[in-house]
Amino acid sequence: MNECYYDKRMDFFYNKTNTDTVDEWTGPKLIVVLCFGTFFCLFIFISNSLVIAAVVKNKRFHFPFYYLLANLAAADFFAGIAYVFLMFNTGPVSKTLTVNRWFLRQGLLDTSLTASLVNLLVIAVERHMSIMRMKIHSNLTKKRVTFLIISIWAIAIFMGAVPTLGWNCLCDITACSSLAPIYSRSYLVFWSVLNLVVFFIMVVVYIRIYMYVQRKTNVLSSHTSGSISRRRTPVKLMKTVMTLLGAFVVCWTPGLVVLLLDGLNCTYCGIQNVKRWFLLLALLNSVMNPIIYSYKDDEMWGTMKRMICCSSEDKSQDRRSSRIPSTVPCRSTDTSGHYIEDGIIQGTICGKGDLGDKGNS
């Protein structure tokens, strides 16, 4: 029977896997990493808090899509917490950690990744449900959206706790990985392949939805009047979502590939030399998302700006920029959802639609 090492500190496992943490994370390099990490984490906390507050405050965002978008911002906020915890428990400190504290450090990172990934997957399903039924927003009730959000976090917490629950190498030291000294290589292969497969599925789904929306919009636009910007509102909404997905895939794929190589025991791949940079790249994803929200959606930016500047709504509406007009449709008394055809004919841009164009369809 193999001996288990639950009572050992992390220096035992780092020495067993020949992982050097001291020389790489001391002196000027550590200071630079901590400074950049602190700045990014502060930005993550502030910007994603503004996104969540904007969705709560602005009634035009009270749709399933935006509730899920706010939950994605919450996942990014949680990622900021995970990175702060990592900053205070990395470098030379890593070797002094207990096994449980190291599991907590990595579990927070895994949970944040899973929460963002599953949230994007749920958004893909929501977009598929609405677009394929020719609606800008789905008919999901608040109770169902709440259930989905709770399920997202339940799955994320479970996946983050899997190594702690037993899939580790504490009782089989020969199976330990290099990047994660108490994670089994088999788990790293499972974790990275699972996420990469989900990435691929989401990209295919989003491309299919985007092509369908664009094709349908082109067909309908030839039979309706109004400006191009009003006719292409559904396409703009999909572009926002696809930009979020693209940023997520670009920021996380390199790190997952490195984990896969480590799980496959690639000793000549030089993964130790790039691990910290790919971790910072993953951190950038949580920085980019709120920028994407505000840049792609004029209504989101206006709401965030009013909260920052504490100015009146009328004054902030004077702002005119080159940004894409908001994709938030005007509310109506019809609770069954907003149809793309109606959105195209009416413009679906709050305060900008010309109802007189509707008769020309």
Side-chain angles (χ1 to χ4, degrees), residues 280-333:
L280 290 176
L281 180 61
L283 172 63
L284 283 177
N285 179 240
S286 298
V287 176
M288 293 169 60
N289 283 345
I291 298 175
I292 295 172
Y293 304 148
S294 59
Y295 179 79
K296 287 291 187 178
D297 196 321
D298 222 17
E299 185 74 24
M300 177 69 74
W301 168 250
T303 304
M304 293 170 65
K305 184 179 178 182
R306 288 193 295 272
M307 290 189 296
I308 294 173
C309 302
C310 298
S311 60
S312 64
E313 182 174 353
D314 292 336
K315 184 181 294 184
S316 65
Q317 286 178 350
D318 292 336
R319 168 182 165 272
R320 291 295 182 267
S321 66
S322 59
R323 277 200 263 286
I324 298 174
S326 173
T327 57
V328 181
C330 298
R331 277 190 172 277
S332 70
T333 56

Side-chain angles (χ1 to χ4, degrees), residues 52-332:
I52 296 171
V55 173
V56 173
K57 182 179 179 180
N58 194 332
K59 292 184 179 180
R60 292 174 179 176
F61 293 141
H62 291 183
F63 293 98
F65 171 77
Y66 285 98
Y67 290 140
L68 294 172
L69 207 64
N71 192 52
L72 184 61
D76 288 327
F77 188 95
F78 184 84
I81 296 175
Y83 289 123
V84 169
F85 190 84
L86 175 64
M87 284 193 300
F88 287 100
N89 293 275
T90 192
V93 181
S94 297
K95 289 193 173 185
T96 66
L97 298 178
T98 63
V99 168
N100 289 333
R101 193 170 182 83
W102 195 94
F103 272 136
L104 176 61
R105 190 189 81 172
Q106 297 304 123
L108 290 174
L109 292 173
D110 295 344
T111 299
S112 66
L113 167 62
T114 306
S116 297
L117 180 62
V118 178
N119 205 94
L120 283 170
L121 186 60
V122 172
I123 290 177
V125 175
E126 190 273 342
R127 288 292 83 204
H128 189 275
M129 289 173 56
S130 58
I131 297 300
M132 294 305 171
R133 294 177 182 178
M134 297 307 300
K135 296 179 181 180
I136 297 177
H137 289 288
S138 65
N139 289 334
L140 289 174
T141 62
K142 288 187 178 180
K143 288 185 178 180
R144 290 182 179 180
V145 174
T146 302
F147 173 77
L148 287 174
I149 292 175
I150 294 174
S151 299
I152 288 170
W153 285 103
I155 294 172
I157 293 172
F158 173 76
M159 292 302 296
V162 166
T164 310
L165 297 175
W167 199 344
N168 54 61
C169 62
L170 294 177
C171 298
D172 185 11
I173 206 70
T174 60
C176 291
S177 63
S178 174
L179 294 178
I182 55 177
Y183 277 13
S184 298
R185 287 194 297 271
S186 59
Y187 173 75
L188 289 187
V189 172
F190 162 78
W191 172 255
S192 54
V193 170
L194 174 64
N195 285 284
L196 290 172
V197 169
V198 175
F199 283 4
F200 177 77
I201 292 174
M202 285 197 302
V203 169
V204 172
V205 170
Y206 276 116
I207 290 177
R208 180 174 180 268
I209 296 174
Y210 176 76
M211 292 177 64
Y212 177 85
V213 171
Q214 194 167 36
R215 184 173 64 253
K216 190 69 175 179
T217 302
N218 291 336
V219 172
L220 291 174
S221 63
S222 62
H223 300 286
T224 60
S225 61
S227 65
I228 295 177
S229 62
R230 288 186 291 175
R231 292 199 299 263
R232 296 194 178 277
T233 295
V235 178
K236 293 170 185 173
L237 187 59
M238 281 306 305
K239 284 183 177 180
T240 301
V241 180
M242 291 187 69
T243 303
L244 292 172
L245 176 62
F248 185 80
V249 172
V250 170
C251 289
W252 280 99
T253 298
L256 290 174
V257 171
V258 167
L259 288 177
L260 177 60
L261 293 175
D262 188 26
L264 296 175
N265 199 25
C266 182
T267 57
Y268 54 87
C269 295
I271 55 179
Q272 293 291 341
N273 299 326
V274 296
K275 61 179 182 180
R276 83 167 70 86
W277 306 114
F278 287 163
L279 182 61
L280 290 176
L281 180 61
L283 172 63
L284 283 177
N285 179 240
S286 298
V287 176
M288 293 169 60
N289 283 345
I291 298 175
I292 295 172
Y293 304 148
S294 59
Y295 179 79
K296 287 291 187 178
D297 196 321
D298 222 17
E299 185 74 24
M300 177 69 74
W301 168 250
T303 304
M304 293 170 65
K305 184 179 178 182
R306 288 193 295 272
M307 290 189 296
I308 294 173
C309 302
C310 298
S311 60
S312 64
E313 182 174 353
D314 292 336
K315 184 181 294 184
S316 65
Q317 286 178 350
D318 292 336
R319 168 182 165 272
R320 291 295 182 267
S321 66
S322 59
R323 277 200 263 286
I324 298 174
S326 173
T327 57
V328 181
C330 298
R331 277 190 172 277
S332 70

